[in-house]
Amino acid sequence: MGRKKWNIIDWILGATLLVNLAACSTIDEDLSDCGEDFEMEYELQLITNIETELQTELVTGREQLVADALRNHLANIFTDVARDIDLSFYATGKEDALQYHKSELMNANEKSYSFFLPAQDYRHLALANLQNNSVVSVTGGDQSATQTLVQKQGETIESHETGLFTAREDMKVKEGEDQTFHVDLYMANSATALVIDNARGVEVKDIQVYATGFATAFSVNDSTYTYVDNPPMVHAQQVSTDADDMLCFCTVNFPSRDKAVGEEPLWQYVVYVTLADGSVTQSVLSLKEPLMAGNLKIVKTYLQADGSLQPDNTLVGVSVTLDWKQGGTYEPEM
């Protein structure tokens, strides 16, 4: 029998088949011809106490003016809308290596995306509302075990600028199946508000408020926080209110520890009041009630003639230093 003669069409088809087979069986080659289509559905789950806290703590007519201002101030933090979303897919197993990464504008509470990836097991991590937060960044994204949200370092830092949401999901992408994975994102940071009642009309030149005792980083993969012995002081922003004799200062930060160690407070306010004569009074307010992720904690106080703050809640500890001098830097041990 004679040898079959190949025409140009046979040669092209055979070459194409060989290329496709090689692509699906060779590591580090283009896998676009042997992946699987699947859908990812993302939804923000805003589980928060903000309305309960506002309605419980700020009840009088004057206080309700503060509540309205604080609600507006925190509208971009306690939100159920993801403006941007960052998606990472990692190969499970020893390598734990990033296989695919995508950043998208979402601008919605829930949204679906289509993906085309090789059929295998994945560890999937998702972040929302990170792009416009200059205080927090993501590091260690090459592996799922090291992906971490990290604050800026320093003795003092500014508040987080967005409400951060995260999720983690184990996925098994199967060959030849139509699959849809649903992922819920939950809030990773929180907020505090210090309300100062100056009904006595104490004349002051300046008030500076800081909060401290909070986590400095968040591991996305295992949903755990990092705490240090001397956490930074978070500079509180003053919230403009329509009540002239009610002042409000707000911070946005990671949560506190959930349990106190001995008699140590979980977190604190450090407040510097400059009186009309130029003297400065330092008040340190200590709290043993934890600040949890997704929560707002309001602390109400009364401004005294000497510049000190008297807490409305007797469970809030306070220590006062009159005529405080700049050299006395406060370094909390949490």
Side-chain angles (χ1 to χ4, degrees):
M1 295 180 62
R3 181 178 298 177
K4 180 180 178 180
K5 293 183 180 180
W6 287 66
N7 59 35
I8 187 65
I9 295 177
D10 292 330
W11 185 90
I12 292 173
L13 290 175
T16 302
L17 177 60
L18 288 173
V19 169
N20 287 341
L21 288 174
C24 291
S25 60
T26 305
I27 298 175
D28 296 330
E29 292 291 342
D30 180 12
L31 299 179
S32 60
D33 291 324
C34 41
E36 298 294 328
D37 287 304
F38 59 93
E39 293 284 324
M40 299 293 298
E41 296 177 346
Y42 298 94
E43 183 176 1
L44 259 68
Q45 300 291 342
L46 180 60
I47 300 176
T48 177
N49 73 333
I50 181 171
E51 285 302 323
T52 301
E53 186 74 359
L54 290 171
Q55 295 170 17
T56 302
E57 296 297 330
L58 303 175
V59 295
T60 69
R62 295 162 61 239
E63 291 176 344
Q64 287 177 9
L65 294 175
V66 177
D68 292 339
L70 190 55
R71 184 182 292 107
N72 182 66
H73 180 79
L74 291 171
N76 189 47
I77 305 300
F78 294 99
T79 176
D80 63 353
V81 174
R83 289 164 180 80
D84 54 85
I85 192 164
D86 186 275
L87 310 173
S88 299
F89 296 84
Y90 299 88
T92 60
K94 293 182 179 180
E95 63 274 17
D96 186 27
L98 180 65
Q99 302 295 296
Y100 184 74
H101 174 260
K102 181 178 185 179
S103 294
E104 289 281 347
L105 292 179
M106 184 168 165
N107 292 320
N109 169 258
E110 55 184 310
K111 196 168 184 179
S112 298
Y113 297 94
S114 297
F115 293 89
F116 187 80
L117 293 175
Q120 65 180 62
D121 293 346
Y122 293 96
R123 179 66 167 171
H124 174 48
L125 303 182
L127 309 171
N129 293 339
L130 184 62
Q131 286 187 7
N132 294 321
N133 198 325
S134 64
V135 180
V136 180
S137 60
V138 61
T139 64
D142 290 341
Q143 294 183 310
S144 67
T146 57
Q147 190 185 98
T148 307
L149 292 177
V150 180
Q151 287 181 165
K152 284 186 174 180
Q153 296 182 350
E155 291 184 3
T156 62
I157 63 171
E158 296 302 318
S159 288
H160 299 181
E161 297 160 323
T162 60
L164 300 170
F165 289 77
T166 71
R168 55 220 50 84
E169 184 82 9
D170 287 324
M171 303 167 46
K172 186 177 184 64
V173 177
K174 301 178 181 179
E175 293 184 7
E177 291 189 18
D178 292 331
Q179 293 179 277
T180 299
F181 299 92
H182 185 86
V183 178
D184 291 323
L185 295 104
Y186 295 94
M187 197 169 180
N189 50 359
S190 51
T192 79
L194 178 69
V195 177
I196 302 176
D197 187 333
N198 190 19
R200 296 184 178 186
V202 180
E203 187 177 350
V204 299
K205 289 184 176 181
D206 184 51
I207 299 178
Q208 293 294 320
V209 178
Y210 300 87
T212 187
F214 311 114
T216 57
F218 177 73
S219 173
V220 181
N221 185 58
D222 56 9
S223 190
T224 57
Y225 293 93
T226 298
Y227 298 90
V228 296
D229 288 339
N230 293 301
M233 310 280 283
V234 183
H235 185 215
Q237 292 180 312
Q238 184 167 0
V239 179
S240 179
T241 74
D242 291 332
D244 294 336
D245 55 356
M246 298 285 289
L247 305 175
C248 180
F249 297 84
C250 181
T251 71
V252 180
N253 36 258
F254 284 131
S256 72
R257 288 185 172 91
D258 56 4
K259 292 182 180 180
V261 179
E263 296 300 316
E264 293 296 322
L266 285 172
W267 58 283
Q268 296 177 313
Y269 279 116
V270 184
V271 185
Y272 301 95
V273 176
T274 303
L275 298 170
D277 63 2
S279 64
V280 177
T281 299
Q282 180 198 68
S283 296
V284 179
L285 308 176
S286 298
L287 293 95
K288 290 190 174 182
E289 180 181 350
L291 177 67
M292 310 300 290
N295 281 7
L296 166 68
K297 177 59 183 176
I298 297 172
V299 177
K300 296 191 298 183
T301 62
Y302 301 96
L303 184 61
Q304 307 300 301
D306 59 5
S308 63
L309 296 181
Q310 176 188 336
D312 176 77
N313 188 339
T314 57
L315 297 179
V316 177
V318 59
S319 63
V320 176
T321 302
L322 301 176
D323 199 22
W324 178 87
K325 301 302 182 183
Q326 182 63 41
T329 302
Y330 180 74
E331 295 184 355
E333 293 185 5
M334 311 301 295

